[in-house]
Amino acid sequence: KGPEDGKESPSEKILDGFKTSSVLSDSAREKIMFIHGKIADQDAVVILEKTPFREETLTELLSDSTLKLEMKNDIYNSYRLQAPPHLNEIKTTVVYPATEKHIKRHQRQESFLVEETGEDYRSITLPYIEKQSFSLQWVYNILEKKAEAQRIIFEDPDTETGFVLLPDLKWDQKQVDDLYLIAISLQRGIKSLRDLSSEHLPLLQNILQKGQDAIKQRFDLPASKLRVYLHYQPSYYHLHVHFTKLGYEAPGCGVERAHLLSDVIQNLKSDPQFYQTRTLHFPLRADDGLLAKFREAERL
Amino acid sequence: KGPEDGKESPSEKILDGFKTSSVLSDSAREKIMFIHGKIADQDAVVILEKTPFREETLTELLSDSTLKLEMKNDIYNSYRLQAPPHLNEIKTTVVYPATEKHIKRHQRQESFLVEETGEDYRSITLPYIEKQSFSLQWVYNILEKKAEAQRIIFEDPDTETGFVLLPDLKWDQKQVDDLYLIAISLQRGIKSLRDLSSEHLPLLQNILQKGQDAIKQRFDLPASKLRVYLHYQPSYYHLHVHFTKLGYEAPGCGVERAHLLSDVIQNLKSDPQFYQTRTLHFPLRADDGLLAKFREAERL
């Protein structure tokens, strides 16, 4: 062993003077936390993340730890396990000195579930969308082959029922495990679920059927491996449909925002005005302008 | 302190004789591992899950731990942090003795999306459920206060519309970020969504309303922070409703398996027989006996 053994480098003392200002965000599911604080009056961001279990240290972990009983019911027993520190490390990243940008990047935005009746849509949401007039130029560029033309996986050129299918930007196409494609309707002016009625059934059925066929052809994934859905609220107001691999927990596939296309089709078949009359629930982030409108209308 | 201090109960020694057979599955993202092994020649399933970070112990965690430098690059520094065991516990669940079914349930498995018409339910799914006769004893233990009585958060004792609300075993109750509660109907014999009709509206509305109220009261979370839903297929065939925090991507909250309780209520109001007639989609794992039945019937 060398002469440095037992000595800590100054950098290993970096957190000794750390003062927490606030938790920027955290994920209980992923066991990660982003913390803003100060070290010697300068901003720092500390990222803590518990480490995954490793099969090769499992025997040691189970034999060298202490169990504390929490609950017993029938064959189910639950405990808190206290492990030797070296078998249960925490990945720690310190960004120091950190800029404003580093801090903002990790800041959590709370979400709120909004309840929107058909009337709320017409009196609150629709005027908001129309006033914003979000630019759809990038969508039209795709549809007109002015951009991303080489990324198109499949196209049906029918002006009524046609669409283009292309990989979502979140998917690197390196593996099908996290397959994520978007079908964009050629027909313009269908802003969202709320604009759909039974007249759109041929369009929706065409996207479902030909989208599934194209994915089977190109990626060898059958329909039984796909989750096909719309978002409400969508992130842009031009009709598009998400195709993600079943088993991949794609962002935005939760029940509070996603609507299975097959359910949408069934709903429109049983009630042509389903999406004009139904109360819909969806999450909005705290800084979303639409949330402010729901608050003003005392609907939250 | 009482005379029992310092003594370990026999159940806290449960893992001393544990022999690992295999890792059934794990998630590096969620820091969870499912292990199959033997205790005294009987099968056991051990589930290890790292616990989320807690803001209230952060200062202690950062000051009482040791950092080991991994990498330095400009303002980015990364370390392994070794924490005091009591500040970095591992949630441990032991199912013992475990059946073949418990072992299979946690085995990594591909899933397939199944399309089930009302007729498929009656000819394939229902006979399968009835033949399996899954044990609901642990549910009845809870309803009869023979187990987990001290865990109950809220109870409405009405025999028709009543329910008990308690934390899901997946939730350690240390922070509300990953709040996960289950409302279990006192009424027996409602197997799933498929059994619901308009006569159950008072029960469902009661669970939604009083469940939300109890969570507001106890955890200070308003309804706009909650995702309230049923699973189809459920993991056990006794009516229960999931309450999870919006923003927490709880396992099983995806659109392919979850049904918002508020949508279920609307559906039953507009069509009392909605869930007897509607085609429903849900994922089944490759080793699920029900999937084999759908295959036999050439419905996959």
Side-chain angles (χ1 to χ4, degrees):
Chain A
K1 291 201 163 187
E4 296 294 334
D5 277 351
K7 259 199 197 167
E8 282 180 334
S9 84
S11 115
E12 294 183 333
K13 293 280 185 193
I14 194 168
L15 292 183
D16 283 9
F18 181 80
K19 297 248 178 303
T20 301
S21 310
S22 67
V23 172
L24 296 169
S25 64
D26 69 335
S27 162
R29 178 156 189 204
E30 293 167 42
K31 288 83 184 178
I32 190 164
M33 185 174 262
F34 300 86
I35 305 151
H36 171 215
K38 300 260 186 192
I39 297 173
D41 286 338
Q42 282 197 285
D43 281 312
V45 172
V46 174
I47 304 165
L48 301 176
E49 183 175 8
K50 304 248 172 143
T51 46
F53 290 99
R54 296 168 52 202
E55 198 169 348
E56 58 274 29
T57 60
L58 205 53
T59 307
E60 208 183 336
L61 178 69
L62 291 178
S63 63
D64 295 357
S65 297
T66 308
L67 287 183
K68 309 279 180 189
L69 184 67
E70 285 273 287
M71 190 280 297
K72 262 184 91 67
N73 174 1
D74 194 43
I75 59 170
Y76 304 97
N77 308 278
S78 98
Y79 304 89
R80 293 172 288 122
L81 180 147
Q82 297 187 348
H86 71 283
L87 295 178
N88 189 21
E89 293 179 329
I90 296 170
K91 185 174 168 7
T92 303
T93 306
V94 180
V95 184
Y96 169 74
T99 65
E100 188 61 28
K101 198 182 281 298
H102 289 107
I103 297 163
K104 274 216 164 147
R105 182 188 302 165
H106 297 299
Q107 207 138 28
R108 185 213 317 275
Q109 279 287 329
E110 267 200 305
S111 290
F112 296 86
L113 197 72
V114 171
E115 180 180 271
E116 181 197 72
T117 63
E119 180 49 33
D120 290 333
Y121 173 72
R122 287 178 290 277
S123 67
I124 304 171
T125 308
L126 183 58
Y128 177 78
I129 297 169
E130 286 176 338
K131 200 169 167 197
Q132 294 294 306
S133 63
F134 300 105
S135 171
L136 292 170
Q137 194 50 54
W138 68 274
V139 176
Y140 302 150
N141 287 344
I142 293 172
L143 299 181
E144 292 164 7
K145 314 288 175 63
K146 291 179 183 163
E148 305 192 44
Q150 72 300 339
R151 300 179 75 238
I152 292 175
I153 299 287
F154 174 81
E155 180 174 17
D156 175 341
D158 188 285
T159 51
E160 281 293 308
T161 63
F163 65 99
V164 300
L165 181 71
L166 74 174
D168 187 276
L169 283 180
K170 285 186 281 299
W171 185 37
D172 66 7
Q173 299 184 67
K174 295 271 196 291
Q175 60 288 312
V176 296
D177 296 337
D178 58 345
L179 175 137
Y180 200 143
L181 297 156
I182 300 284
I184 306 179
S185 160
L186 294 191
Q187 213 186 121
R188 301 186 185 189
I190 309 171
K191 291 185 286 304
S192 76
L193 213 51
R194 284 287 191 198
D195 281 344
L196 293 176
S197 63
S198 51
E199 65 178 297
H200 300 108
L201 281 168
L203 167 62
L204 298 173
Q205 284 164 325
N206 192 51
I207 290 177
L208 179 58
Q209 189 59 53
K210 293 207 181 128
Q212 288 173 336
D213 291 349
I215 290 170
K216 172 86 184 91
Q217 184 92 20
R218 176 71 165 259
F219 302 105
D220 199 29
L221 272 188
S224 63
K225 290 295 192 178
L226 296 176
R227 187 197 285 119
V228 187
Y229 54 99
L230 288 81
H231 276 160
Y232 190 73
Q233 300 287 331
S235 51
Y236 51 97
Y237 292 89
H238 174 106
L239 186 74
H240 59 284
V241 175
H242 304 252
F243 289 74
T244 58
K245 182 165 182 296
L246 196 72
Y248 164 54
E249 292 174 35
C253 76
V255 64
E256 70 273 25
R257 192 174 177 205
H259 297 255
L260 281 187
L261 180 52
S262 53
D263 284 341
V264 172
I265 290 170
Q266 285 189 85
N267 290 334
L268 291 173
K269 279 183 181 170
S270 63
D271 176 3
Q273 300 303 304
F274 188 94
Y275 289 105
Q276 285 77 59
T277 54
R278 178 57 69 108
T279 294
L280 297 172
H281 293 78
F282 49 83
L284 288 178
R285 288 162 52 112
D287 63 354
D288 195 309
L290 182 54
L291 188 73
K293 295 292 173 194
F294 272 83
R295 282 221 167 92
E296 276 170 33
E298 297 184 1
R299 290 289 293 123
L300 195 81
Chain B
K1 291 200 166 189
E4 297 294 336
D5 276 352
K7 258 200 197 164
E8 281 179 336
S9 83
S11 111
E12 293 183 333
K13 292 282 184 194
I14 195 167
L15 290 183
D16 283 9
F18 182 79
K19 298 249 178 301
T20 301
S21 310
S22 67
V23 172
L24 296 169
S25 63
D26 69 336
S27 164
R29 179 173 176 199
E30 294 166 45
K31 288 82 182 178
I32 188 164
M33 185 175 264
F34 299 85
I35 306 151
H36 171 215
K38 300 261 187 192
I39 297 172
D41 286 336
Q42 282 196 288
D43 282 311
V45 172
V46 174
I47 304 165
L48 300 176
E49 183 175 9
K50 304 254 171 136
T51 46
F53 290 99
R54 295 167 55 199
E55 197 168 348
E56 58 274 33
T57 60
L58 206 52
T59 306
E60 208 183 337
L61 178 71
L62 292 177
S63 63
D64 295 358
S65 297
T66 308
L67 286 183
K68 310 279 179 187
L69 184 66
E70 284 275 288
M71 192 277 298
K72 259 186 91 68
N73 176 3
D74 191 44
I75 59 169
Y76 303 97
N77 308 277
S78 98
Y79 304 89
R80 290 171 291 123
L81 180 147
Q82 297 187 348
H86 72 282
L87 295 178
N88 188 21
E89 293 179 327
I90 296 171
K91 185 172 170 5
T92 303
T93 307
V94 180
V95 184
Y96 169 75
T99 65
E100 189 61 28
K101 194 180 280 301
H102 290 105
I103 297 163
K104 274 204 166 165
R105 182 188 300 164
H106 297 300
Q107 208 139 27
R108 192 191 308 280
Q109 283 286 336
E110 268 201 305
S111 290
F112 297 86
L113 197 72
V114 171
E115 180 180 271
E116 182 197 69
T117 63
E119 180 48 33
D120 290 333
Y121 174 72
R122 287 178 290 277
S123 65
I124 304 172
T125 308
L126 182 58
Y128 176 78
I129 297 169
E130 287 175 339
K131 203 170 163 196
Q132 294 293 307
S133 62
F134 300 103
S135 170
L136 292 171
Q137 193 51 53
W138 68 272
V139 176
Y140 302 151
N141 286 347
I142 292 171
L143 300 182
E144 292 164 7
K145 314 287 175 65
K146 291 178 183 163
E148 306 191 43
Q150 73 298 341
R151 301 179 74 238
I152 293 175
I153 299 288
F154 174 79
E155 180 173 17
D156 176 339
D158 188 285
T159 52
E160 280 293 307
T161 62
F163 65 99
V164 300
L165 180 72
L166 74 175
D168 187 276
L169 282 181
K170 288 186 281 296
W171 185 38
D172 68 6
Q173 298 185 67
K174 295 280 196 289
Q175 58 290 309
V176 296
D177 297 334
D178 59 342
L179 175 136
Y180 200 143
L181 297 157
I182 300 284
I184 306 179
S185 160
L186 295 190
Q187 211 186 123
R188 300 185 185 189
I190 308 171
K191 292 184 288 304
S192 76
L193 213 52
R194 284 290 190 195
D195 281 344
L196 293 175
S197 62
S198 50
E199 64 178 301
H200 301 108
L201 281 168
L203 167 63
L204 298 172
Q205 284 164 325
N206 192 51
I207 291 177
L208 180 59
Q209 189 58 54
K210 293 206 182 130
Q212 287 173 338
D213 291 350
I215 291 169
K216 173 85 184 90
Q217 184 92 17
R218 177 71 165 259
F219 302 104
D220 198 29
L221 273 188
S224 64
K225 289 294 191 181
L226 296 176
R227 187 196 285 120
V228 186
Y229 54 100
L230 289 82
H231 277 160
Y232 191 73
Q233 301 286 333
S235 52
Y236 50 97
Y237 291 89
H238 175 107
L239 186 74
H240 59 283
V241 174
H242 304 252
F243 289 75
T244 59
K245 181 164 182 296
L246 196 72
Y248 164 52
E249 293 174 35
C253 77
V255 65
E256 69 274 25
R257 192 172 177 207
H259 297 256
L260 281 187
L261 181 52
S262 52
D263 285 340
V264 172
I265 290 170
Q266 284 190 85
N267 290 335
L268 291 173
K269 279 184 181 168
S270 63
D271 176 3
Q273 301 302 304
F274 188 94
Y275 289 105
Q276 286 76 59
T277 54
R278 179 56 70 107
T279 294
L280 297 172
H281 294 77
F282 50 82
L284 287 178
R285 291 156 46 109
D287 65 349
D288 195 308
L290 183 55
L291 188 73
K293 295 292 174 195
F294 272 84
R295 283 221 166 93
E296 277 170 31
E298 297 183 359
R299 290 289 294 122
L300 196 80

